């Protein structure tokens, strides 16, 4: 019942975002119109686009990054308002960048589906992708990924934390003046840190993060014991400006936040660092999870001989994931003393194994949730029962979708 309420709130706020601009006004201003269909982007997480009409029912949308050079994560999100059932051809023009995300479609902001591959034509150089659609009268929204706004995520988090007396903490203010909100609770001398959405488009990582959180927040005896013995700190939206503005990668200060964990030039990383260090004082940090998305499933971890008292959690986690998912996930074990990611900072500042958990861009909700729950189970078994890896070597091969 609780889980259903959480996701209902997530869907409700997602639907509202498609009708309202970031400032809360009704989203009505089109950037172009053709064949009785208006194209607009003035809603929370709407993409950065200009529009060119090339014929009746044919438009080109330029997909514009917030700056350059930048990681090729071309976010797009636009709303179509049709007076009647209409056929359209929408071409996404990425300029020097390449098509990456399968288009997703919703008519209500709640239920999303991938546009059929037969209706998407990608150019040979991948710098353009054309979407052929027949839209019904009313609203249709197309985006690179299902839209998850800051308001939607915090509504979910509020419903998730409420039964367990977790505290909502405003730990700072973003470049745009948005509240930076974290959640903390549980007891004990050991700390767990988990976050996601440093990079705006990476929503499959957010799905895994939510499954991880919901599993440790469940009412099972194991989860209850875990919360009773551990302090848990969650940051589900550390880059609200980038998400709200439809950015590909950066905050509104022009910085990739996951490359700012050495210099700490941005208010978002400064505030989150201080929050974590405050919670970590006089505690041992067992693990530090940073959920992301990329073109494949992969986990970045410190070396197995890293200077951390809990580094032996990593072989157990690898073994559990190998057993749980459709094929063994690739791992990269490394540490750069000159690096600037949260993963590096966690090891050096907290002596904790920092893990960057990368989900495939096109992982299904079920696949992402399975990874999140498996990580939670492995963590609880490691800390409560002293579980350790058994040395099992996986022999299964990977389906194409998991490589």
């Amino acid at each position: 019942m609780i889980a259903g309420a959480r996701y209902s709130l997530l869907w409700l706020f997602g639907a509202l975002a498609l009708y309202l601009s970031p400032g809360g006004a009704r989203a009505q201003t089109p950037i172009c119109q053709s064949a009785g269909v208006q194209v607009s982007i003035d809603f929370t997480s709407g993409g950065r686009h200009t529009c060119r009409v090339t014929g009746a029912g044919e438009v080109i949308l330029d997909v514009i990054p917030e700056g350059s050079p930048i990681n090729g994560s071309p976010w797009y999100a636009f709303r179509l308002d049709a007076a009647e059932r209409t056929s359209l051809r929408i071409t996404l023009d990425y300029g020097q960048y390449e098509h990456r995300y399968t288009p997703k479609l919703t008519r209500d902001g709640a239920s999303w589906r991938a546009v059929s591959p037969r209706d998407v034509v990608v150019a040979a150089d991948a710098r353009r992708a054309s979407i052929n659609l027949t839209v019904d009268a009313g609203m249709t929204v197309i985006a690179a990924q299902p839209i998850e706004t800051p308001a939607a995520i915090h509504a979910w988090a509020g419903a998730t934390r409420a039964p367990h007396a977790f505290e909502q903490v405003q730990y700072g203010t973003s470049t745009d003046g948005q509240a930076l909100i974290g959640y903390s609770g549980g007891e004990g001398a050991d700390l767990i840190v988990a976050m996601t959405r440093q990079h705006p488009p990476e929503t499959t990582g957010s799905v895994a993060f939510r499954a991880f959180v919901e599993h440790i927040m469940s009412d099972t005896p194991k989860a209850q014991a875990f919360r009773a013995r551990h302090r848990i700190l969650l940051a589900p939206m550390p880059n609200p400006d980038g998400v709200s503005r439809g950015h590909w990668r950066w905050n509104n200060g022009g910085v990739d936040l996951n490359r700012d964990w050495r210099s700490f030039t941005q208010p978002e990383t400064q505030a989150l660092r201080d929050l974590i260090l405050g919670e970590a004082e006089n505690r041992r940090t067992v693990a530090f999870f940073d959920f992301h998305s990329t073109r494949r499933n992969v986990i970045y971890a410190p070396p197995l001989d890293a200077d951390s008292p809990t580094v032996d959690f990593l072989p157990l986690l690898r073994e559990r994931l190998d057993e749980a998912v459709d094929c063994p996930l690739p791992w990269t074990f490394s540490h750069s003393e000159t690096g600037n990611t949260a993963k590096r900072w966690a090891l050096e500042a907290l002596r904790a194994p920092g893990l960057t958990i990368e989900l495939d861009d096109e992982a299904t909700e079920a696949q992402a949730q399975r990874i999140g729950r498996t990580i939670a189970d492995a963590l609880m078994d490691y800390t409560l029962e002293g579980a350790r890896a058994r040395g099992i070597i996986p022999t299964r091969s990977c389906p194409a979708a998991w490589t």
Side-chain angles (χ1 to χ4, degrees):
M1 184 67 177
I2 292 294
R6 292 175 193 144
Y7 281 101
S8 294
L9 283 168
L10 189 67
W11 293 333
L12 172 62
F13 277 84
L16 286 174
L18 304 181
Y19 288 95
L20 300 178
S21 73
R26 183 80 176 177
Q28 292 179 329
T29 306
I31 56 173
C32 68
Q33 53 187 346
S34 179
V37 180
Q38 295 183 339
V39 182
S40 60
I41 57 173
D42 55 343
F43 54 89
T44 303
S45 297
R48 295 167 52 86
H49 305 301
T50 56
C51 184
R52 291 169 278 156
V53 177
T54 56
E58 294 186 1
V59 299
I60 296 175
L61 285 181
D62 297 303
V63 184
I64 304 169
E66 59 269 24
S68 183
I70 195 168
N71 179 276
S73 306
W75 174 260
Y76 55 89
F78 52 93
R79 170 178 159 161
L80 307 173
D81 285 286
E84 59 186 11
R85 185 175 174 85
T86 307
S87 293
L88 292 173
R89 181 180 179 87
I90 301 164
T91 298
L92 304 174
D93 188 335
Y94 298 104
Q96 64 179 307
Y97 297 95
E98 296 182 357
H99 180 70
R100 173 170 167 178
Y101 300 107
T102 298
K104 318 299 189 301
L105 178 152
T106 185
R107 286 187 52 81
D108 59 9
S111 55
W112 290 82
R113 64 174 177 84
V115 175
S116 171
R118 67 176 178 270
D119 294 326
V120 181
V121 180
V122 181
D125 64 2
R127 295 189 176 183
R128 281 192 171 192
S130 295
I131 308 169
N132 298 298
L133 288 173
T134 298
V135 295
D136 292 327
M139 180 190 77
T140 301
V141 174
I142 297 174
Q145 297 284 28
I147 293 173
E148 297 179 354
T149 66
I153 291 302
H154 289 306
W156 162 83
T160 303
R161 74 175 179 90
H164 308 294
F166 268 52
E167 181 183 6
Q168 177 176 300
V169 180
Q170 180 174 343
Y171 61 89
T173 304
S174 74
T175 302
D176 276 351
Q178 293 197 66
L180 300 171
I181 298 174
Y183 303 88
S184 59
E187 304 294 338
D190 285 348
L191 174 67
I192 309 298
V193 180
M195 64 179 179
T196 189
R197 296 299 290 282
Q198 289 201 80
H199 297 148
E202 298 181 5
T203 59
T204 56
S206 181
V207 174
F209 168 88
R210 295 199 300 274
F212 168 86
V213 171
E214 290 180 357
H215 210 50
I216 63 176
M217 292 287 198
S218 70
D219 291 327
T220 66
K222 183 164 66 174
Q224 291 175 341
F226 180 77
R227 294 192 302 274
R229 301 179 197 177
H230 295 84
R231 186 68 172 172
I232 301 163
L233 178 61
L234 307 170
M237 187 58 64
N239 186 7
D241 297 350
V243 172
S244 296
R245 288 175 170 269
H247 282 186
W248 296 17
R249 189 79 169 183
W250 300 347
N251 71 337
N252 201 33
V255 172
D256 178 339
L257 293 183
N258 201 34
R259 300 298 182 271
D260 194 46
W261 284 80
R262 176 177 292 279
S263 300
F264 294 100
T265 65
Q266 300 302 297
E268 293 90 348
T269 47
Q270 293 167 8
L272 186 51
R273 172 200 61 193
D274 293 347
L275 175 68
I276 295 169
L277 289 176
E279 291 285 356
E281 188 174 2
N282 299 321
R283 289 190 175 100
R284 180 184 72 160
T285 305
V286 175
F288 182 105
F289 302 102
D290 187 12
F291 289 84
H292 288 259
S293 306
T294 190
R295 291 174 175 83
R296 62 175 184 145
N297 296 300
V298 61
I299 296 178
Y300 296 98
L304 293 175
D305 61 354
D307 181 21
S308 168
T310 55
V311 74
D312 57 346
F313 169 59
L314 302 182
L316 173 68
L317 178 60
R318 186 178 190 181
E319 193 171 270
R320 291 291 183 86
L321 285 169
D322 288 347
E323 294 171 347
V325 301
D326 295 337
C327 77
L329 274 63
W331 285 60
T332 296
F333 297 94
S334 65
H335 179 73
S336 171
E337 294 183 356
T338 60
N340 46 19
T341 64
K343 166 184 171 293
R344 179 215 57 90
W345 179 82
L347 182 62
E348 295 189 4
L350 306 174
R351 295 187 68 218
L355 288 156
T356 304
I357 312 292
E358 298 270 13
L359 275 291
D360 190 304
D361 292 332
E362 303 303 330
T364 67
E365 185 174 40
Q367 289 168 339
Q369 289 174 340
R370 194 186 325 160
I371 288 174
R373 287 193 295 266
T374 300
I375 293 170
D377 266 328
L379 179 65
M380 290 189 287
D381 289 346
Y382 174 82
T383 57
L384 295 176
E385 302 172 9
R388 298 296 182 269
R390 294 169 291 161
I392 297 174
I393 299 174
T395 60
R396 291 166 292 152
S397 60
C398 296
W402 285 87
T403 57

